[in-house]
Amino acid sequence: MKKSRILGFCLFVLTSLSGYAQTKSWTADNGNGTFTNPLFYDEFSDPDILRVGDDYYLAGTTMHAVPGLVILHSKDLVNWEFASYCFDRFDFADNRFALKNHEEIYGQGIWAPCIRYANGQFYVFSNVNGKGLQCYTAKDIRGPWTHHNMQGNIYDLGVLFDDDGKVYAIHGYGTVKCTELKPDMSGPIEGTERVIISEGNGVGEGHHMYKIDGMYYLISTDYSPNGRTLCSRSKSIWGPYETRVITADETYGYHAASLTQVPRGTKYRIGEDGTKFGLGPVDKDATACTNAHQGGIVQYKDGSWWALFMQDFHSIGRTVCLMPMTWEDGWPMVGLKGNLGRAPRTWFKPGTKPQQTLPQPLPIREGSGYSQDEAAMGLSTPLHHREGQGGGSVPYARSETFNGKTLGPIWQWNHNPDDKLWSLRGGRLRIQAQPAEQLMWARNTLTQRVIGPKSVATVELYTKGMKDGDVCGLGNINVPCSWIGLVKQGSTLTLRCFEQLTNDTVSVPVIFDGKIYLRMIGDYDNDQAQYAYSTDGVTFQTLGRMMPLSYQLISFQGSRHALFAFNIKGKQGGYAEFDNFTVDEPCADRSLNIPYGKTIRIINKATGRPAIALKHGVLYDTHAGDKSQLTQFKVIDRGEGKVALQCADGRYVKVYGDGLPGDVRFIDKIDKSNLPSTEEVNSTEFLWQDYLDHDFMLLSLKNNKYLGKSPTTGSPYSMDFAGPDPARRNGSVLVWEEVK
């Protein structure tokens, strides 16, 4: 993003918002029969998908945060709502799970769940570092859940309930193993572990096992030497397996974020000062391991198949993308016919368009993830849908008045809290200040995931209960962390901004009446954020610099808003009270992102040159300053997110043949009423791919590839690009500007 856009965004949130919550929140549903990835613009890593009847359940990693192991519910794979957590707190008698005595589980905790349904109940399997394999069972998806500590060295697993009643866990990296589990979930069956895929076959981890039409399919992901997702198949659970890559290089035009680094050989603890930190270099051209990977697949009720894989979205962390699948020679390939291995960012919602299916209907069985036992849906009453931007629903209400008796499900504690030292009272959240020298060691820190691509979080902080040495405020739980808040020294209150990356503080005196407004302004697609404050809730001033953000493999989490109170003098302090936490999402309403009915110029992002409809008949490019009539195109709405492009001279853009360079030409008119087939219509209609901030792509419905022009060869435009590169400069990503 240009610097001017970033500054404009900050100016907007300082002058336009006064602590209220925007009603719209990001949802993938565009309201026109299409969806746009990601499904959520906040962190949801290691997704596993389950279908039971016409209901779909998605389980995800929660690491060290509690409540833990989140489950969402959907009817259409696009709109999701919160269903439950598997547990309220870790039930291990271990200081590490509660941030006691400088012991912690950052980057550990519980992760990579597998959700299944069999024997009339739901199962969620997952690993806890140092504690082994865990299983949670429930008759109803909303709980209550029963915890089974199965122990054993099994992690990052897929589970299959087979036809003969046996239960298998598939696990390991490179060398893939299969272990039989006891039916009562008391542990693995000793002596059953066997290698089913040996090292040397390019198979990774994050396994998801399915039995489809008598064949065993294992979906896994590999990160060596870079990210990709594979499928291994066999007629026997024990192998032998053959393996194919089913998707690679699908980054949706997002390069890897800067990773937090710690010097090798450094004895490092997560709460230490910023001299231990560095932000790694950014290679905007590298796919790295941030592309769509690790997740599950599911058959929709109409027979179509879909993958729900996670992808790294910069400092937001890992979130979920919904990707259509095509069966090719018995392999479940991600993508569409003619463009396998890649997937559109915007596509038609499940059930709205014919999809590629297997040649014959599949037997849908319990345990495979596709049970049709209606009585087992576990939802006797509907869950509550929250409003999104396009008529869809969102999983959480992010804003919080703290007027209820319980916290909303968006909130999670950083490690197990001390429940005696926090409360909801008088319409506010009260947190007692416990001894800690730094935010990452502060107990009872309440967090929620940030949401992108841009958002603004604001909270009211009441300070009358603070005591000497207390530090209270709004922070970002990440590695490195940061915060804005009040520090009390004796009877003096000072407003301070702290940034762990630089181990730097900015302090200013402030006069207020016991209530102050704190704000975090996040531009997460561009990995930066800034703090601000106000004494009246109307006029905000920034404090500290525009901070760089990162994703990191230390805590394995993206940025998180944090409400905190701790005491830096090693004693039990006073308390802070928080009220009216609001989240505003300026980019949530995407209704104007497609310039329907407008006349635009189409600029190639790789070259900065506008497209031109040559009199010769091909689509080419011209010099940057050309604003002639032939560089002007009207965007015509064809419904369902589809558009046609009409040049100002009346001609329409059309794809001929296979869409090779020079085959993007023109036709004088589109007459749907006089066509022998849909081919002519598909040649002139394109599915708009919204990449935000006026970036877009055009997907041809004729060959499922994208419009583009090589920035180096000099060839005219073609319709044969598989997708964008991470830096969006291979010639397939375009920018539109309106012609006034």
Side-chain angles (χ1 to χ4, degrees):
M1 176 182 283
K2 294 181 180 179
K3 186 176 181 181
S4 60
R5 288 188 183 178
I6 297 168
L7 294 176
F9 170 59
C10 291
L11 181 63
F12 163 74
V13 299
L14 289 174
T15 59
S16 302
L17 306 180
S18 57
Y20 63 88
Q22 185 170 299
T23 57
K24 294 185 182 295
S25 184
W26 177 279
T27 173
D29 194 331
N30 294 318
N32 60 2
T34 69
F35 68 92
T36 296
N37 284 310
L39 288 182
F40 327 112
Y41 229 117
D42 65 333
E43 188 169 61
F44 196 104
S45 56
D46 303 323
D48 193 34
I49 183 70
L50 169 70
R51 174 184 167 194
V52 181
D54 290 342
D55 291 85
Y56 303 87
Y57 303 102
L58 192 67
T61 284
T62 49
M63 302 303 291
H64 53 273
V66 293
L69 283 189
V70 64
I71 300 173
L72 304 181
H73 165 257
S74 177
K75 284 288 190 179
D76 62 4
L77 293 177
V78 173
N79 296 285
W80 294 85
E81 57 193 349
F82 173 79
S84 66
Y85 289 104
C86 288
F87 59 91
D88 291 330
R89 60 192 296 124
F90 293 105
D91 55 4
F92 305 107
D94 188 326
N95 286 338
R96 295 179 305 148
F97 294 88
L99 271 181
K100 290 182 179 179
N101 301 329
H102 273 196
E103 297 182 68
E104 40 82 10
I105 54 166
Y106 286 115
Q108 301 181 63
I110 195 160
W111 47 281
C114 172
I115 184 169
R116 288 293 177 261
Y117 178 82
N119 307 314
Q121 64 182 348
F122 294 91
Y123 297 78
V124 179
F125 301 87
S126 196
N127 170 74
V128 173
N129 292 70
K131 303 298 181 182
L133 179 61
Q134 311 298 311
C135 179
Y136 297 84
T137 57
K139 298 289 186 181
D140 190 300
I141 196 67
R142 292 171 294 193
W145 293 87
T146 301
H147 181 198
H148 311 264
N149 188 344
M150 302 178 68
Q151 302 180 344
N153 187 29
I154 297 175
Y155 58 91
D156 218 1
L157 76 161
V159 175
L160 178 75
F161 288 79
D162 212 342
D163 303 316
D164 58 5
K166 293 184 177 181
V167 187
Y168 299 102
I170 294 82
H171 54 104
Y173 174 76
T175 300
V176 182
K177 303 172 184 178
C178 180
T179 302
E180 191 175 347
L181 304 179
K182 296 178 181 177
D184 63 358
M185 300 302 134
S186 59
I189 298 177
E190 294 183 8
T192 60
E193 181 180 292
R194 288 170 54 182
V195 173
I196 59 174
I197 301 176
S198 60
E199 175 61 61
N201 286 282
V203 176
E205 61 185 8
H207 303 296
H208 300 256
M209 177 63 85
Y210 307 92
K211 191 173 186 180
I212 304 171
D213 201 20
M215 183 77 74
Y216 295 87
Y217 290 87
L218 178 63
I219 308 296
S220 62
T221 192
D222 194 12
Y223 55 81
S224 178
N226 72 335
R228 61 198 182 282
T229 299
L230 312 102
C231 177
S232 305
R233 71 180 187 184
S234 174
K235 294 181 179 179
S236 168
I237 189 76
W238 306 109
Y241 285 85
E242 53 180 334
T243 299
R244 281 191 184 181
V245 174
I246 62 172
T247 182
D249 292 336
E250 188 53 82
T251 66
Y252 292 116
Y254 285 80
H255 59 78
S258 178
L259 287 177
T260 302
Q261 297 179 337
V262 180
R264 289 186 178 181
T266 300
K267 290 186 177 180
Y268 157 76
R269 301 194 66 167
I270 202 161
E272 290 183 331
D273 66 58
T275 61
K276 300 292 195 300
F277 295 107
L279 295 186
V282 174
D283 184 350
K284 292 186 177 181
D285 295 304
T287 302
C289 300
T290 63
N291 57 315
H293 65 291
Q294 188 157 336
I297 66 174
V298 69
Q299 187 181 29
Y300 194 65
K301 57 189 177 183
D302 67 352
S304 60
W305 284 81
W306 300 81
L308 289 94
F309 290 165
M310 71 179 181
Q311 184 190 325
D312 293 16
F313 273 81
H314 291 213
S315 54
I316 289 166
R318 293 167 167 170
T319 188
V320 183
C321 293
L322 177 64
M323 310 170 81
M325 304 189 79
T326 300
W327 284 85
E328 182 86 0
D329 298 329
W331 293 95
M333 301 295 296
V334 168
L336 305 167
K337 186 177 180 180
N339 195 8
L340 299 179
R342 304 294 293 269
R345 185 173 189 183
T346 297
W347 188 240
F348 302 103
K349 291 172 58 177
T352 61
K353 290 289 180 182
Q355 304 290 340
Q356 296 289 324
T357 62
L358 285 177
Q360 66 278 341
L362 291 177
I364 300 180
R365 312 164 26 260
E366 285 191 9
S368 66
Y370 316 117
S371 171
Q372 286 185 333
D373 183 355
E374 296 291 339
M377 282 190 270
L379 286 174
S380 56
T381 57
L383 295 169
H384 178 63
H385 287 267
R386 297 177 177 87
E387 180 188 359
Q389 61 84 28
S393 64
V394 297
Y396 308 101
R398 299 181 181 279
S399 299
E400 175 73 77
T401 63
F402 300 112
N403 289 335
K405 296 181 179 180
T406 60
L407 294 167
I410 185 64
W411 295 104
Q412 292 178 289
W413 296 99
N414 179 21
H415 293 64
N416 280 349
D418 184 337
D419 287 331
K420 296 179 181 179
L421 298 179
W422 75 273
S423 60
L424 294 172
R425 59 171 66 187
R428 298 177 188 169
L429 166 70
R430 177 178 291 190
I431 300 178
Q432 302 285 142
Q434 300 179 64
E437 65 270 29
Q438 204 258 13
L439 174 59
M440 300 300 283
W441 293 111
R443 298 195 65 196
N444 284 14
T445 295
L446 187 64
T447 74
Q448 69 165 262
R449 300 171 300 281
V450 303
I451 186 166
K454 300 178 178 73
S455 60
V456 182
T458 307
V459 70
E460 299 172 13
L461 171 63
Y462 292 81
T463 61
K464 72 174 184 178
M466 293 178 65
K467 294 183 178 180
D468 179 38
D470 285 354
V471 182
C472 310
L474 170 68
N476 176 22
I477 288 283
N478 203 336
V479 183
C481 69
S482 63
W483 52 263
I484 184 173
L486 276 297
V487 180
K488 190 164 189 177
Q489 296 171 306
S491 60
T492 302
L493 279 173
T494 302
L495 182 66
R496 179 171 296 169
C497 178
F498 170 73
E499 185 181 356
Q500 190 184 24
L501 175 63
T502 56
N503 199 33
D504 191 23
T505 60
V506 178
S507 299
V508 295
V510 63
I511 299 175
F512 63 101
D513 62 358
K515 179 176 74 170
I516 193 167
Y517 299 80
L518 304 177
R519 173 171 288 177
M520 181 174 174
I521 307 163
D523 181 9
Y524 301 107
D525 264 10
N526 292 287
D527 295 326
Q528 50 195 345
Q530 189 165 32
Y531 290 113
Y533 70 97
S534 173
T535 58
D536 60 9
V538 177
T539 303
F540 281 79
Q541 298 180 359
T542 60
L543 186 65
R545 66 168 181 160
M546 178 74 77
M547 301 171 294
L549 301 176
S550 72
Y551 181 66
Q552 37 75 34
L553 304 181
I554 298 171
S555 71
F556 281 91
Q557 286 188 335
S559 297
R560 285 182 168 238
H561 299 305
L563 305 181
F564 65 87
F566 60 93
N567 187 283
I568 56 175
K569 294 193 174 180
K571 61 184 181 181
Q572 200 75 25
Y575 62 86
E577 290 186 324
F578 301 89
D579 200 2
N580 296 323
F581 181 91
T582 62
V583 178
D584 191 276
E585 301 177 46
C587 302
D589 186 351
R590 305 195 306 279
S591 61
L592 299 179
N593 287 13
I594 304 178
Y596 292 123
K598 295 181 179 180
T599 299
I600 64 172
R601 288 188 184 86
I602 298 173
I603 313 299
N604 194 296
K605 195 173 181 69
T607 64
R609 296 162 65 109
I612 185 170
L614 293 180
K615 293 283 188 183
H616 186 57
V618 299
L619 187 66
Y620 199 57
D621 63 3
T622 183
H623 62 85
D626 190 347
K627 296 186 177 181
S628 64
Q629 183 187 49
L630 296 184
T631 66
Q632 301 175 19
F633 299 87
K634 186 174 183 180
V635 180
I636 299 173
D637 184 3
R638 293 295 185 186
E640 299 177 305
K642 297 178 292 185
V643 300
L645 296 177
Q646 185 181 25
C647 183
D649 67 1
R651 294 177 295 164
Y652 292 86
V653 176
K654 177 182 176 180
V655 179
Y656 291 82
D658 293 323
L660 298 178
D663 268 346
V664 180
R665 303 201 295 276
F666 297 90
I667 189 172
D668 289 337
K669 64 179 181 178
I670 303 174
D671 185 3
K672 285 190 175 184
S673 64
N674 192 31
L675 293 176
S677 69
T678 60
E679 181 178 356
E680 187 77 8
V681 176
N682 287 344
S683 298
T684 57
E685 290 186 342
F686 313 99
L687 189 62
W688 187 282
Q689 307 287 298
D690 181 19
Y691 276 66
L692 310 179
D693 289 324
H694 286 216
D695 284 12
F696 72 103
M697 296 177 67
L698 291 174
L699 175 67
S700 172
L701 298 178
K702 179 180 180 181
N703 64 359
N704 293 321
K705 291 190 176 180
Y706 300 92
L707 178 71
K709 184 187 183 303
S710 167
T712 59
T713 65
S715 296
Y717 271 86
S718 67
M719 191 61 77
D720 63 351
F721 280 74
D725 64 328
R728 303 189 187 183
R729 53 190 179 201
N730 68 341
S732 64
V733 179
L734 311 170
V735 182
W736 65 270
E737 62 178 30
E738 186 176 0
V739 176
K740 298 294 185 180

